[in-house]
């Protein structure tokens, strides 16, 4: 008897339906075809034990299993459940009437308990797209899949529950969540706040500009000046997730299995802070069977690189293209996958190896030329792609000891949201552009029109600092954001002057 069940394979951040065909005939051989990897091939032992311990038998006959389409590689242990159901149905041990209506996925323990799997959200989205009635999966993943409406999601704890459900002898409880209610209840919940930071008003201003225009920023300052503390609070002033952004970001985290079992949809913008020993593949994604890297996990959020010069140069250079294109394509001989990577880069570094170059009270002990050599660990092309360069000076004791709290994140976020609404209206007809940092050269010429005074100002800055054409564009983008925060239709000379001020690392005295 030939029986078909349906599973799913995740490729990139999208899923493809896998049809599992099982034929049980006379003989004693077991054949599993359709490009399975080692984990799929090992499923026979797990399934056989799970069935035996739950009162069912592994057929002592010839079993041929095909996983179609046969040219897509099937990876992982998540196919245990659909394979087990198909074998039982093909051998006449359970009813097969319901099998065509559901996608089944789940890893089996030897006692039949279902273990959680990765990539549940893309699988659920694909199941709805292909008009399956429901999705049966491990109970730990049920809330994540239930985000998808118009699809019945059933979470099971063991294979016995699934078999009883297919035989109409028991019922599985449908997992239903109110996605919008849960999302909006958690969207503004964040324990960190800008009011925790004493002083550093100029840095907070620069971070507000960066958040308002989605600009990349680098903070340069001595140890203990508050760079990391400030960076961790940037997500609190970014605009809250839209439901679409939350779904898109959750898909990426679902693929790598980073969704909490009690969570359904991500409500906070991601803040990724990889250690400086990270490899280039771990940062941008890849591997023999490509997975999203840190830049994709930071999609729609913040990627924070602390102590930037300590990262390997090859690691930093692979970020050049994603910073410009906001996606990353991983190519292999037989296939390629594309991951989104629209993130805001926040980097921090000490000004020199000892950390006290340009310090107001402590003397730098680095030898001549060492400061420039330290800065040269970061290539010019990468620095050009960072819109805002900012010096962070230590907070004096008087400020630290003040009891009065500073402006909180909510007040800053209101101004950021007002500026983002202006940009949203401005770029309404330009697909894929939602912030000033994403303006192309054509859009810059259209929306940043300078008067004579402003033209002379930026001409002098270009000549004196030796800025590149890319740095020129970055200054214009930042000045446009400053004008938006001021509610001004046109960029004025004072907006441009402030934007030029945020190019600290282009100044002649750095490393001299």
């Amino acid at each position: 008897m030939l029986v078909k069940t349906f599973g799913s394979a995740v490729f990139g951040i999208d899923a493809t339906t896998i049809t599992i065909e099982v034929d049980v005939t006379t003989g004693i051989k077991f054949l599993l075809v359709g490009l399975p990897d080692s984990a799929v091939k090992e499923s026979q032992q797990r399934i056989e034990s799970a069935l035996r311990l739950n009162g069912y038998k592994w057929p002592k006959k010839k079993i041929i299993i095909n996983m179609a389409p046969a040219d897509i590689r099937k990876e992982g242990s998540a196919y245990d459940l659909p394979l087990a159901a198909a074998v039982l149905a093909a051998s006449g041990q359970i009813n097969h009437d319901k099998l065509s209506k559901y996608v089944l996925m789940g890893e089996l323990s030897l006692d039949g308990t279902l273990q959680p799997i990765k990539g549940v959200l893309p699988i659920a989205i694909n199941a709805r797209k292909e008009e399956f009635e429901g999705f049966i999966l491990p109970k730990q993943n049920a809330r994540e899949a239930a985000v998808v409406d118009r699809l019945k999601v059933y979470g099971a704890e063991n294979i016995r529950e699934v078999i009883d459900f297919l035989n109409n002898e028991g019922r599985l409880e449908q997992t239903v969540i109110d996605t919008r209610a849960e999302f909006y209840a958690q969207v503004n919940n964040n324990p960190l706040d800008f009011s925790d930071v004493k002083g550093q008003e100029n840095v907070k201003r620069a971070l507000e500009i960066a958040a308002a225009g989605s600009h990349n920023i680098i903070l340069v300052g001595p140890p203990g000046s508050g760079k990391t503390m400030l960076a961790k609070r940037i997500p609190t002033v970014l605009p809250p997730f839209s439901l679409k952004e939350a779904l898109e970001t959750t898909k990426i985290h679902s693929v790598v299995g980073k969704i909490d079992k009690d969570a359904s949809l991500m409500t906070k913008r991601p803040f990724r802070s990889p250690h400086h020993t990270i490899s280039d593949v771990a940062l941008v994604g890849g591997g023999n069977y490509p997975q999203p890297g840190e830049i994709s996990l930071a999609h729609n959020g913040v990627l924070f690189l602390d102590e930037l010069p300590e990262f390997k140069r090859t690691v930093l250079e692979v970020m050049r293209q994603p910073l410009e294109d906001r996606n990353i394509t991983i190519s292999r001989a037989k296939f390629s996958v594309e991951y989104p990577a629209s993130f805001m880069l926040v980097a921090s570094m000490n000004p020199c190896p000892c950390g006290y170059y340009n310090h107001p009270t402590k003397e730098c002990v680095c030898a001549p030329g060492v400061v420039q050599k330290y800065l040269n660990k970061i290539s010019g092309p990468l620095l050009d792609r960072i819109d805002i360069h900012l010096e962070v000076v230590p907070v004096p004791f008087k400020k630290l000891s003040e009891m009065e709290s500073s402006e909180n994140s909510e007040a800053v976020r209101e101004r950021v949201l007002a500026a983002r609404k202006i940009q949203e209206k401005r770029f309404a007809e330009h697909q894929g552009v939602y912030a000033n940092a994403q303006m192309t050269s054509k859009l810059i010429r259209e929306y940043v029109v300078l008067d004579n005074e402003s033209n002379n100002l930026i001409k002098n800055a270009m000549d004196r600092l030796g800025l590149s054409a890319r740095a020129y564009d970055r200054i214009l983008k930042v000045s446009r954001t400053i004008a938006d925060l001021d509610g001004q239709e046109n960029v004025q000379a004072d907006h441009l002057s402030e934007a030029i001020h945020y190019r600290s690392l282009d100044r002649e005295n750095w490393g001299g």
Side-chain angles (χ1 to χ4, degrees):
M1 180 178 180
L2 179 67
V3 169
K4 294 182 181 180
T5 58
F6 298 92
S8 203
V10 178
F11 194 67
I13 58 168
D14 297 309
T16 302
T17 298
I18 301 297
T19 303
I20 298 169
E21 303 170 321
V22 177
D23 183 24
V24 177
T25 60
T26 306
I28 54 170
K29 202 169 186 180
F30 176 78
L31 293 170
L32 177 60
V33 296
L35 217 58
D37 73 351
S38 297
V40 181
K41 290 176 182 176
E42 291 168 355
S43 63
Q44 181 188 357
Q45 283 70 37
R46 292 191 295 271
I47 294 169
E48 193 171 345
S49 173
L51 295 183
R52 180 172 50 81
L53 293 173
N54 282 277
Y56 292 88
K57 295 179 181 178
W58 180 265
K60 301 298 182 183
K61 294 183 177 182
K62 183 178 181 181
I63 302 171
I64 304 170
I65 302 176
N66 178 44
M67 305 178 78
D71 59 341
I72 294 178
R73 188 169 182 83
K74 294 39 172 219
E75 302 168 23
S77 53
Y79 297 101
D80 290 359
L81 183 59
L83 286 169
V87 168
L88 286 173
S91 59
Q93 297 182 69
I94 66 168
N95 195 333
H96 61 84
D97 295 343
K98 286 185 176 180
L99 289 177
S100 61
K101 300 177 182 178
Y102 296 93
V103 170
L104 284 73
M105 292 295 281
E107 177 189 334
L108 288 173
S109 297
L110 294 183
D111 63 355
T113 304
L114 287 171
Q115 300 297 329
I117 59 173
K118 298 178 182 178
V120 165
L121 186 55
I123 294 171
I125 292 170
N126 186 65
R128 180 184 65 182
K129 180 183 173 185
E130 302 213 351
E131 299 182 346
F132 283 95
E133 183 180 317
F135 182 14
I136 300 172
L137 74 168
K139 199 162 190 174
Q140 297 97 314
N141 298 118
R143 287 180 59 80
E144 184 184 336
V147 167
V148 180
D149 58 359
R150 303 194 308 278
L151 180 74
K152 294 178 181 177
V153 174
Y154 299 102
E157 291 185 351
N158 56 64
I159 193 171
R160 165 64 70 178
E161 292 179 7
V162 179
I163 292 170
D164 289 346
F165 176 76
L166 294 173
N167 280 335
N168 298 313
E169 295 173 358
R171 60 186 296 274
L172 289 173
E173 186 179 345
Q174 184 180 346
T175 304
V176 180
I177 62 169
D178 188 335
T179 306
R180 289 181 181 276
E182 290 211 0
F183 174 71
Y184 290 116
Q186 297 290 328
V187 75
N188 290 315
N189 185 16
N190 201 314
L192 302 177
D193 199 278
F194 258 23
S195 60
D196 302 335
V197 183
K198 302 286 187 181
Q200 303 293 21
E201 302 306 326
N202 64 318
V203 185
K204 291 178 186 174
R205 164 68 176 172
L207 294 178
E208 180 182 333
I209 294 167
S214 194
H215 299 289
N216 301 322
I217 184 169
I218 183 168
L219 306 174
V220 186
S225 55
K227 303 185 295 295
T228 303
M229 188 178 186
L230 284 158
K232 286 181 177 178
R233 281 153 180 77
I234 291 175
T236 67
V237 299
L238 287 171
F241 260 151
S242 67
L243 207 52
K244 181 184 175 184
E245 286 177 324
L247 190 63
E248 189 178 38
T249 308
T250 306
K251 269 179 76 175
I252 300 167
H253 286 250
S254 174
V255 168
V256 292
K258 292 189 178 293
I259 303 295
D260 190 79
K261 68 176 182 179
D262 297 321
S264 54
L265 198 63
M266 291 181 67
T267 56
K268 299 183 187 71
R269 292 190 180 273
F271 180 88
R272 304 295 301 180
S273 180
H275 193 259
H276 62 257
T277 54
I278 191 171
S279 68
D280 47 359
V281 171
L283 185 68
V284 299
N288 291 333
Y289 310 115
Q291 288 279 291
E294 287 291 334
I295 63 171
S296 295
L297 293 172
H299 180 62
N300 289 326
V302 175
L303 177 68
F304 177 50
L305 301 183
D306 200 6
E307 303 302 340
L308 192 65
E310 303 303 328
F311 284 79
K312 288 182 286 188
R313 193 177 181 108
T314 53
V315 172
L316 296 179
E317 294 311 300
V318 294
M319 282 200 305
R320 287 197 205 172
Q321 178 264 330
L323 280 171
E324 290 288 330
D325 298 341
R326 293 184 289 127
N327 61 47
I328 180 76
T329 302
I330 310 296
S331 298
R332 295 291 177 264
K334 294 182 179 178
F335 60 88
S336 66
V337 294
E338 189 173 294
Y339 296 114
S342 180
F343 59 92
M344 179 178 160
L345 174 64
V346 180
S348 74
M349 61 177 284
N350 293 330
C352 66
C354 80
Y356 297 108
Y357 179 74
N358 271 357
H359 195 280
T361 58
K362 293 188 178 181
E363 189 176 343
C364 175
V365 296
C366 296
V370 170
V371 178
Q372 189 60 52
K373 185 178 178 183
Y374 186 72
L375 186 61
N376 286 346
K377 287 184 177 182
I378 308 163
S379 69
L382 182 61
L383 278 178
D384 263 357
R385 287 169 167 82
I386 299 176
D387 305 359
I388 299 174
H389 308 163
L390 192 70
E391 290 181 71
V392 182
V393 296
V395 182
F397 174 76
K398 185 180 177 182
K399 275 281 184 188
L400 283 174
S401 58
E402 282 181 358
M403 297 301 293
E404 189 178 332
S405 62
S406 57
E407 190 175 36
N408 62 22
S409 292
E410 189 177 345
V412 178
R413 182 188 260 188
E414 284 180 11
R415 295 196 295 271
V416 169
L417 279 170
R420 283 288 183 104
K421 283 178 182 175
I422 293 170
Q423 293 164 57
E424 190 180 317
K425 187 177 179 182
R426 177 184 298 137
F427 304 125
E429 297 178 4
H430 303 282
Q431 191 175 2
V433 180
Y434 59 85
N436 288 330
Q438 290 146 10
M439 285 194 290
T440 61
S441 297
K442 183 181 178 182
L443 292 176
I444 292 171
R445 289 195 299 273
E446 185 178 346
Y447 295 116
V448 187
V449 181
L450 304 179
D451 56 24
N452 288 334
E453 183 186 358
S454 300
N455 256 322
N456 290 332
L457 181 65
I458 196 162
K459 179 181 181 297
N460 291 335
M462 291 284 291
D463 292 341
R464 186 164 58 85
L465 301 177
L467 300 176
S468 68
R470 185 181 280 114
Y472 170 74
D473 281 355
R474 303 281 169 180
I475 289 171
L476 294 182
K477 290 177 183 180
V478 173
S479 63
R480 178 66 268 175
T481 301
I482 296 169
D484 290 341
L485 283 167
D486 280 356
Q488 298 290 324
E489 188 174 339
N490 297 315
V491 174
Q492 308 293 331
D494 56 335
H495 303 142
L496 201 61
S497 179
E498 186 177 357
I500 293 168
H501 171 72
Y502 296 133
R503 300 295 299 186
S504 299
L505 298 182
D506 292 323
R507 295 180 199 161
E508 292 174 359
N509 68 319
W510 262 99

